[in-house]
Amino acid sequence: MSTFPVGLGKRPIGTIFSLSTITRISANLCTIILLFFSSQSFLDENIFIQATASENTTALQLHIFDQYVVMDNGILQVNLSKPEGMVVGIQYQGIDNLLEVLQDETNRGYWDLVWSAPGITRKKGAFDRIEGTNFTVIVETEDQIELSFTRMWDPSLEGKMVPLNIDKRFVLLSNSSGFYTYAIYEHLKEWPAFNLTNTRTVFKLRKDKFHYMAMSDNRQRHMPLPDDRSAKRGQALAYPEAVLLVNPVEPEFKGEVDDKYQYSIENIYNRVHGWISNDSQVGFWQITPSEEFKSGGPLKQCLTSHVGPTTLAIFHSTHYSGEELIIQFGSNEPWKKVFGPVYFYLNSLVDGADPIQQLWEDAKQQMNNEVQSWPYYFPASKDFLSPNQRGTVSGRLLVHDWYVTNDKDVPGNGTLVGVAAPGDVGSWQLECKGYQYWTKADNNGCFSIHGVRPGTYNLYAWVPGFIGDYRDVSEIVVTPGCDVDVGTLVYEPPRTGPTLWEIGVPDRTAAEFYIPDPNPKYINKLYINHTERFRQYGLWERYADLYPDNDLIYTVGVSDYRKDFFFAQVTRKTDNNTYNGSTWQIRFKLDNVDKNTTYKLRIALATAHVSELQVRINDPDAKNPLFTTGQIGNDNTIARHGIHGLYRLYNVVIPSVELVEGNNTIFLTREMSVSPFQGVMYDYIRLEGPPSSSDNNDIGFSS
């Protein structure tokens, strides 16, 4: 096509209504709200276009053409291809299109997925940019427009298309400075098996306008252009996503590394991120009001926004987890899940100082509004359940570790409590097919989880400062309108004897350990002297720089894990471009060794990637290790600048005969070394003495 839909005039594809061509918009401009900020850094009067416009706002209008459909509420206009359901244009604040007009219409705003046939264990699969084949107007009232773009599967498509019925929805509300999207995926019982690796929404913004990216108060910056990543301007590093900017368009970025994985974040914190156009003083934000529909629980990490400028809403991925998070569906397995809604919010500043700060603060406020409004009332699909169709689970969780809590039940500090599909202890990390609901308990250990869909669940928890996972063995049945009180629950973390020594903090990350400065050739300026300095590129190479000849030795009582314990046990590159494993030593002294008993070594791993960890006591050359994990992990956390992936806890029994009075050494050997990204990160290591007659038995998750 070379022209815009009939009725919009002869315009280039991707251009929505121009304000100069639509007199009704200029005659019915939405009332703007004057925002007053108390901060000294703000001007007294700063005018935003807000989602709460006055009653004079232009009524919702739906324009349907042969190949396009346009939703218009007088604040913004969203143009979608019909029946495909691709977002080809967004007009706002006099900008004809916020999306990248240089991209093909199918590559601006879309849903996609990656799938494969059963038996394929590699993570890569067939990429599918989801195009609808049928368009339906679901709701058209003065308050709401909801559109459906469906693609139905039938047996003639077997092997060619993922066996799912997919219903993509787009919603525009009156007086709303943004739009919502969600989708319903369904697999019928009689359909063939398949694997689902990834699914998401993608929006690609105009590179000539959106140059500033923000995802948290301390993770925001001006970003390079996508052109800087080209072969003419950038140098590819150890993998395609990481590029050294050699000759960027803007010289200020020269010598920096750009890598989308440097901007990943955990589901629990992934509430708002997006872009600001400095010249237009316009913000484009992706807001996720709940993580209930996301895979892997609250600590699962996903991509957010990155150079493009691109904004993502990830619903399911294997990042920082690996093949264990590929969703595998059987041939006799019915399944249906609602992903979203997520909200794409637009804001603008007509006048005022420090537009970046003000647009960001406004986006955060809108995020809070959306979170408070969850679960929404407005989605028209019967598969999305309104608040009165859901239930609540409440109770209290205490911790009892006889050695730490003085044999008392005490509330944890920052306890996360959630309900997810029934499973084993810690199985919520791998749960992807259903929904999860999490909250943080208060200082007394009390919690209330609202908006839970009807179903059968287990209650799970983990408590910072204590190893292991909690699972209540009783199943919880949630019904519409119910309030299930589970009473007072007590988590008894794994413990058999007193702590003889410990290394690190049990918080499921390696952030407390020594994180080196990056190689000066590979800097991201955002993370210089940053709390998340582990996101710098190439830190795995720094181990060999710091330990060129001998591996790490940690001496209990002398060494400081914040300075002397490298954050990742990685491979060591040799002169002939091969890689060797490493053996770390933990040296400690025992004044006495109880005979005919056992000690317990607790090893909590924050992540692992294609590794085997072996434990030997006092004899590094022993043919057989005392303990081995076997091959574990496909998290790929090291390459992707994370500080944790899947949590794993190992409880190693040490017969007292292995120990001696005086000096002892634990040898931690990491085997399997063919790439720079293989390795493990420790969360916490603890040696426990033998139990006394009054000590509790070993309780909790173990491997």
Side-chain angles (χ1 to χ4, degrees):
M1 283 190 69
S2 60
T3 61
F4 209 65
V6 175
L8 302 185
K10 193 170 183 179
R11 299 183 179 278
I13 290 300
T15 304
I16 308 186
F17 302 98
S18 169
L19 287 177
S20 63
T21 64
I22 303 181
T23 57
R24 61 178 174 76
I25 293 181
S26 60
N28 297 283
L29 283 176
C30 64
T31 300
I32 54 180
I33 292 179
L34 190 62
L35 294 181
F36 295 90
F37 293 88
S38 58
S39 172
Q40 295 298 317
S41 64
F42 296 151
L43 292 183
D44 291 335
E45 297 182 353
N46 303 289
I47 305 175
F48 283 93
I49 300 299
Q50 291 294 302
T52 55
S54 77
E55 60 185 9
N56 295 323
T57 300
T58 301
L60 281 172
Q61 297 191 41
L62 180 63
H63 306 275
I64 301 177
F65 305 97
D66 288 342
Q67 298 182 46
Y68 299 90
V69 56
V70 178
M71 302 186 295
D72 176 7
N73 69 356
I75 301 173
L76 72 152
Q77 298 154 351
V78 182
N79 182 17
L80 299 107
S81 62
K82 179 171 73 74
E84 297 85 3
M86 304 297 189
V87 183
V88 301
I90 301 169
Q91 188 191 64
Y92 176 71
Q93 281 298 94
I95 303 175
D96 281 347
N97 201 343
L98 301 181
L99 303 183
E100 183 53 85
V101 295
L102 300 178
Q103 294 280 359
D104 185 82
E105 285 189 346
T106 62
N107 196 33
R108 297 177 187 173
Y110 54 89
W111 285 72
D112 66 29
L113 58 80
V114 177
W115 72 286
S116 63
I120 299 177
T121 57
R122 59 187 175 88
K123 289 188 289 183
K124 298 293 184 182
F127 175 78
D128 181 359
R129 187 179 283 117
I130 304 165
E131 296 187 1
T133 56
N134 185 66
F135 162 71
T136 306
V137 178
I138 302 297
V139 177
E140 186 180 6
T141 69
E142 62 181 11
D143 298 317
Q144 177 174 344
I145 294 172
E146 182 161 340
L147 308 179
S148 168
F149 302 85
T150 56
R151 188 180 77 181
M152 312 303 284
W153 191 87
D154 66 66
S156 68
L157 300 170
E158 185 168 356
K160 304 175 184 177
M161 185 177 292
V162 60
L164 287 172
N165 286 338
I166 297 177
D167 183 356
K168 299 186 297 181
R169 300 289 181 99
F170 292 88
V171 180
L172 183 66
L173 304 179
S174 62
N175 304 332
S176 175
S177 189
F179 63 95
Y180 300 84
T181 185
Y182 67 106
I184 303 100
Y185 290 12
E186 182 177 26
H187 180 255
L188 300 184
K189 182 178 181 181
E190 61 270 21
W191 287 355
F194 77 102
N195 299 332
L196 183 63
T197 302
N198 186 85
T199 191
R200 62 184 186 171
T201 62
V202 182
F203 282 86
K204 298 180 178 180
L205 306 179
R206 285 175 59 166
K207 69 177 182 179
D208 64 331
K209 288 191 173 294
F210 292 92
H211 300 150
Y212 191 89
M213 188 182 80
M215 54 185 297
S216 69
D217 287 339
N218 67 347
R219 295 178 72 187
Q220 50 182 268
R221 61 166 294 174
H222 289 280
M223 296 291 285
L225 293 170
D227 312 65
D228 298 334
R229 295 177 53 86
S230 68
K232 292 181 179 180
R233 294 187 175 273
Q235 174 189 335
L237 297 175
Y239 45 87
E241 293 86 351
V243 173
L244 179 65
L245 308 181
V246 178
N247 183 30
V249 175
E250 298 170 274
E252 66 180 280
F253 297 111
K254 184 175 182 179
E256 285 202 66
V257 170
D258 178 69
D259 185 344
K260 65 182 180 180
Y261 292 112
Q262 293 178 320
Y263 305 105
S264 298
I265 197 170
E266 291 84 354
N267 285 340
I268 192 173
Y269 304 121
N270 189 0
R271 286 287 185 256
V272 57
H273 60 88
W275 292 84
I276 291 172
S277 171
N278 295 51
D279 60 348
S280 304
Q281 298 190 356
V282 165
F284 182 96
W285 308 100
Q286 192 273 303
I287 294 176
T288 304
S290 169
E291 69 265 22
E292 72 171 49
F293 43 78
K294 291 193 170 188
S295 295
L299 303 183
K300 170 71 172 69
Q301 297 170 87
C302 291
L303 295 170
T304 56
S305 291
H306 59 79
V307 163
T310 300
T311 290
L312 306 172
I314 306 288
F315 303 105
H316 171 72
S317 79
T318 59
H319 291 147
Y320 303 94
S321 303
E323 296 172 1
E324 292 179 85
L325 249 70
I326 293 177
I327 309 178
Q328 301 181 36
F329 295 94
S331 57
N332 294 308
E333 184 176 359
W335 176 76
K336 182 185 285 188
K337 187 170 183 177
V338 180
F339 293 105
V342 293
Y343 185 45
F344 290 90
Y345 175 63
L346 313 179
N347 61 0
S348 62
L349 184 64
V350 176
D351 191 15
D354 198 0
I356 289 174
Q357 179 67 15
Q358 294 184 67
L359 291 170
W360 168 244
E361 291 296 329
D362 177 67
K364 289 196 300 180
Q365 180 58 54
Q366 186 63 39
M367 175 270 291
N368 289 329
N369 295 342
E370 299 299 322
V371 171
Q372 292 299 316
S373 299
W374 186 271
Y376 296 134
Y377 279 100
F378 63 80
S381 171
K382 62 180 176 56
D383 295 307
F384 183 86
L385 303 186
S386 62
N388 57 14
Q389 295 175 293
R390 302 176 179 229
T392 299
V393 177
S394 57
R396 188 183 190 203
L397 183 73
L398 303 177
V399 184
H400 185 107
D401 181 325
W402 58 265
Y403 183 78
V404 175
T405 66
N406 296 319
D407 216 18
K408 297 178 181 179
D409 299 340
V410 300
N413 181 12
T415 301
L416 277 180
V417 185
V419 293
D424 298 326
V425 174
S427 62
W428 55 268
Q429 289 189 111
L430 306 177
E431 215 295 299
C432 301
K433 293 180 179 179
Y435 303 87
Q436 298 195 35
Y437 305 86
W438 290 81
T439 191
K440 184 174 289 188
D442 65 20
N443 293 335
N444 295 314
C446 298
F447 61 88
S448 186
I449 306 171
H450 301 282
V452 181
R453 294 171 63 103
T456 302
Y457 301 89
N458 275 141
L459 186 141
Y460 303 91
W462 76 274
V463 186
F466 297 89
I467 60 173
D469 276 272
Y470 174 78
R471 177 185 67 111
D472 184 13
V473 296
S474 301
E475 292 187 345
I476 297 171
V477 178
V478 175
T479 57
C482 74
D483 189 347
V484 179
D485 186 351
V486 298
T488 298
L489 307 172
V490 179
Y491 172 46
E492 298 187 32
R495 166 77 66 180
T496 53
T499 298
L500 300 182
W501 52 258
E502 59 187 348
I503 302 172
V505 178
D507 60 0
R508 294 177 178 251
T509 83
E512 70 270 27
F513 296 124
Y514 178 69
I515 298 170
D517 291 331
N519 186 321
K521 296 191 299 183
Y522 305 125
I523 294 290
N524 182 321
K525 292 178 182 177
L526 174 62
Y527 296 112
I528 296 175
N529 298 322
H530 196 280
T531 55
E532 297 190 10
R533 56 186 291 160
F534 54 82
R535 298 194 184 276
Q536 295 279 14
Y537 174 87
L539 297 184
W540 56 86
E541 296 178 343
R542 300 287 287 119
Y543 177 74
D545 295 338
L546 295 170
Y547 300 91
D549 301 314
N550 300 301
D551 284 319
L552 182 148
I553 298 174
Y554 186 92
T555 303
V556 173
V558 176
S559 302
D560 182 344
Y561 63 77
R562 295 167 296 184
K563 301 176 182 179
D564 304 317
F565 200 89
F566 199 77
F567 78 103
Q569 187 170 358
V570 292
T571 58
R572 182 197 303 275
K573 190 175 183 179
T574 66
D575 293 337
N576 59 359
N577 289 324
T578 60
Y579 296 89
N580 291 333
S582 61
T583 296
W584 288 8
Q585 299 180 39
I586 301 175
R587 296 178 177 177
F588 60 98
K589 185 177 181 180
L590 294 177
D591 293 332
N592 298 289
V593 176
D594 293 352
K595 303 300 183 183
N596 302 317
T597 186
T598 59
Y599 291 68
K600 188 67 65 75
L601 179 67
R602 312 283 185 181
I603 301 176
L605 296 182
T607 190
H609 184 64
V610 194
S611 294
E612 177 186 357
L613 183 64
Q614 300 176 352
V615 179
R616 292 176 173 84
I617 309 295
N618 287 328
D619 183 2
D621 299 320
K623 181 178 180 180
N624 297 316
L626 176 67
F627 171 83
T628 178
T629 61
Q631 180 176 333
I632 54 173
N634 282 280
D635 302 4
N636 210 16
T637 301
I638 294 167
R640 289 173 173 156
H641 323 296
I643 201 66
H644 68 89
L646 294 178
Y647 178 78
R648 299 168 175 88
L649 176 63
Y650 299 96
N651 301 308
V652 182
V653 176
I654 303 177
S656 58
V657 69
E658 299 283 346
L659 300 169
V660 298
E661 293 183 356
N663 295 323
N664 292 265
T665 303
I666 292 175
F667 296 92
L668 300 175
T669 299
R670 201 207 60 76
E671 294 283 359
M672 308 182 67
S673 301
V674 296
S675 92
F677 308 126
Q678 291 172 269
V680 300
M681 294 184 192
Y682 296 93
D683 166 40
Y684 175 73
I685 304 174
R686 181 173 80 208
L687 180 65
E688 296 174 12
S692 65
S693 58
S694 61
D695 294 342
N696 291 5
N697 292 325
D698 197 15
I699 300 173
F701 170 58
S702 62
S703 296

